[in-house]
Amino acid sequence: MSQPYDALILGGGAAGLMCAIEAGKRGRRVAVLEHAERLGKKILISGGGRCNFTNLHCRPENFISANPHFAKSALARYTPADFLALVEKYRIPYHEKTLGQLFCDHSARDILSMLEEECRLAGVSIFLQTDVRELTRTTEFIVRASNTEFRAPALVVATGGLSIAKIGATSFGYDLARQFRIKVQEPRPGLVPFVLAPEDRSHYCDLAGVSMEVVA
Ligand SMILES: Cc1cc2nc3c(=O)[nH]c(=O)nc-3n(C[C@H](O)[C@H](O)[C@H](O)COP(=O)(O)OP(=O)(O)OC[C@H]3O[C@@H](n4cnc5c(N)ncnc54)[C@H](O)[C@@H]3O)c2cc1C
């Protein structure tokens, strides 16, 4: 069975859901294809379960990227204040922890429920337990998933990075980039422990576990 859509979004994490909401609001027929049994699992573990959903002082220069202009254009079009307005519309209680970091008072589940409701209001179709296996492109994109085929002229790959495979992370996006000969920056872990050179290790390793405010 093949279903017609304007846009297919592969992956129902934070990026896929935001994209689906914005496209749906513009009147597009959108389908989100997610291989897990529920959406946004990584959102649920973010910020220690309370989701650090934005930072009041988030600016392009806070991002390390091979393409620094990307953060400029992205943040010019959707600001922390835009997301905060959405959180306030849903009356989700939150607090500023420190230095502009905003966390939910209760749970990251509040943020996920908000995104799910926004998808519903925007008329987005969600397909869970739909493992995307193959993608081809003719005059449009054809996605083969489990036992269904989806077609659309636009495709968004939002299958995430490699961290935490046990909650659904795959290398699918990178594999796809290779298939379509799209250049990929070598992926590196972003959230890592402090790494020291061997000669410094003997001096500083006893400090492991100590936390304090510093100027670096
Ligand atoms: C422990 C931890 C804490 C974090 N805390 C914060 C925080 O407080 N604040 C913050 O801003 N960021 C935080 N982050 C980072 C943030 O969670 C991620 O940047 C964000 O969730 C990435 O969203 P994404 O949509 O790009 O990818 P993901 O959330 O990884 O979504 C990708 C989706 O695609 C699905 N998928 C993968 N392969 C396929 C396939 N072949 N077919 C179908 N579906 C597929 C996956 O199941 C998944 O649902 C944290 C990350 C971690 C690991």
Side-chain angles (χ1 to χ4, degrees):
M1 186 184 58
S2 176
Q3 312 199 28
Y5 289 98
D6 297 315
L8 300 175
I9 299 179
L10 312 185
L17 294 179
M18 282 303 288
C19 180
I21 292 163
E22 293 302 318
K25 280 192 207 161
R26 288 163 171 76
R28 304 293 192 281
R29 293 169 302 171
V30 181
V32 173
L33 315 184
E34 166 58 56
H35 73 162
E37 72 293 352
R38 66 162 307 160
L39 298 167
K41 283 190 178 181
K42 210 171 266 180
I43 297 172
L44 294 177
I45 61 166
S46 68
R50 292 206 171 159
C51 189
N52 176 196
F53 59 82
T54 196
N55 187 302
L56 293 172
H57 315 302
C58 179
R59 299 187 53 78
E61 46 274 26
N62 301 127
F63 292 82
I64 298 171
S65 170
N67 176 8
H69 298 295
F70 176 77
K72 282 185 206 163
S73 55
L75 285 172
R77 295 167 73 182
Y78 197 90
T79 66
D82 291 323
F83 196 77
L84 193 52
L86 190 58
V87 168
E88 290 185 343
K89 186 173 126 194
Y90 279 77
R91 298 174 192 274
I92 295 174
Y94 68 90
H95 59 278
E96 180 179 346
K97 198 170 173 191
T98 175
L99 300 171
Q101 300 169 354
L102 302 188
F103 283 80
C104 296
D105 285 355
H106 302 314
S107 163
R109 201 168 292 276
D110 289 345
I111 297 292
L112 181 56
S113 303
M114 174 187 83
L115 296 176
E116 287 174 325
E117 178 60 9
E118 284 289 297
C119 279
R120 198 187 62 76
L121 294 174
V124 173
S125 303
I126 308 259
F127 295 85
L128 297 173
Q129 294 181 302
T130 301
D131 193 16
V132 177
R133 290 173 186 169
E134 208 187 316
L135 174 74
T136 47
R137 187 180 189 186
T138 52
T139 49
E140 55 185 358
F141 293 98
I142 304 167
V143 170
R144 287 187 193 88
S146 314
N147 48 12
T148 317
E149 190 177 284
F150 298 84
R151 287 164 181 265
L155 176 88
V156 175
V157 182
T159 47
L162 296 172
S163 62
I164 322 211
K166 70 177 178 209
I167 61 165
T170 67
S171 63
F172 185 80
Y174 299 106
D175 301 340
L176 216 52
R178 239 169 265 130
Q179 180 188 336
F180 286 92
R181 297 179 192 282
I182 296 168
K183 201 171 151 247
V184 176
Q185 292 287 331
E186 191 58 35
R188 281 188 297 167
L191 270 180
V192 292
F194 204 33
V195 182
L196 298 174
E199 60 273 20
D200 293 326
R201 230 176 271 155
S202 57
H203 294 302
Y204 302 119
C205 267
D206 287 348
L207 294 174
V210 175
S211 91
M212 60 193 298
E213 290 202 5
V214 297
V215 177

